[in-house]
Amino acid sequence: MSGLRTKLILFTWVFMAVMVSASCTSQSNDDSANSDTDTDSDTDSDSDSDTDTDSDTDTDSDTDTDSDTDTDSDSDTDSDSDTDSDSDTDSDSDTDSDTDTDSDSDTDTDSDTDSDSDTDSDTDTDSDTDSDSDSDTDTNSDTENTFSVGCGTPISVPDWKTQQTMEHEGATRYYLLHVPKNADNQTPLMLIFGLHGYDMNNVSVAGLYNFTDRSNGQAITVLPQGEGPPPGDVSHWGDNVLKSTWNAGDTNYGFIRALITSISEKYCIDTSRIFIAGFSMGAFFTNSIACAHSEWFRGFAPIAGGGPQRCDGDVKSAIMIQHGTQDDIVEMNSGLGSRDFWVGQNGCSQQSAPSFSGCESYTDCPEDAPVHWCTGNYNHYIDGTAVANIWEFFSGL
């Protein structure tokens, strides 16, 4: 028993010796460590990189894409790793290792990446593309459209030998209308008026003013009837039956204007290419309307007429005056008076050069207001050469 006891006492001493030795070693180590590593590394890297790129590119390129990408990535990583490892082992030999690693690892990465990804992508494309190119191309190219409202409408081609009627100022007025058979109301055509003389009707001049045929389908011919009884369907030429007239004045001017409007609404007309020719009393009327309403027509062609006496304002008209040297109804001097009037009115010189058939053209006239004087060996009549000259003159304007 005493031997056992002795063994226990020895074991205890050995154990304590070992423990004391281990404790000393540990203390030694801890003293080294207790350099108060309390590194409190508190790296608090608080990198707070706060990149806050806030790129706010706000391109506002005024395409007004206003991309305003405002990425505001504000990554604010605030990693604040604050590891505060504060290992503060403070072993205090009392092994109280109190490792208190307090690693506080409070890594508080606070990753607060606050990426705020507020990418605010607010791309606000606000496309408002207002592209504000302000190109304001204002296509208003100022090229005036001269096609009449009849262009593109359904077309009806009347019998050109049948009298058409129109109510004007309380009276029924008549006219013949020769529309080309190939007219389609897509291609704009010229419009040419042909006026008869005193005590005549439009039937008597229908075969003479053959502008539609001469134009190869490029012109509509309208033959209005002057004031007086209905024209009928047979020719009347100075037989004291109709005694029709073409008096210059608002009534007949208004009738002509109404015809231009009506025909332009029904057919495709190039409104910059409307013309008028007249014979005898119709020629006097043609000279008068060239003064009163030159803006309605591109050109004028009186045959065996006279006048005008004067024009109000600075009127200039493109005109071809023709007269037969054998005319015994309206004297040649009447035609010469018209020629001299228009040469002066248009500001031309007294010099001339040959033009057309039996014609001369006066020099220094405005380009858009030429004056042509033509004569031929014929009496008071609408001569074929005169009509050919008119067509060549009109089609060249």
Side-chain angles (χ1 to χ4, degrees), residues 31 122 161-162 240 254 276 303 359:
D31 282 345
D122 204 323
K161 294 182 179 180
T162 299
N240 289 315
I276 187 168
I303 305 170
C359 304

Side-chain angles (χ1 to χ4, degrees), residues 365-379:
C365 299
E367 186 177 351
D368 61 348
V371 175
H372 298 279
W373 165 246
C374 311
T375 60
N377 189 24
Y378 51 87
N379 203 327

Side-chain angles (χ1 to χ4, degrees), residues 281-297:
M281 193 174 197
F284 280 87
F285 182 87
T286 299
N287 275 306
S288 295
I289 202 169
C291 267
H293 295 291
S294 64
E295 73 279 7
W296 293 354
F297 303 93

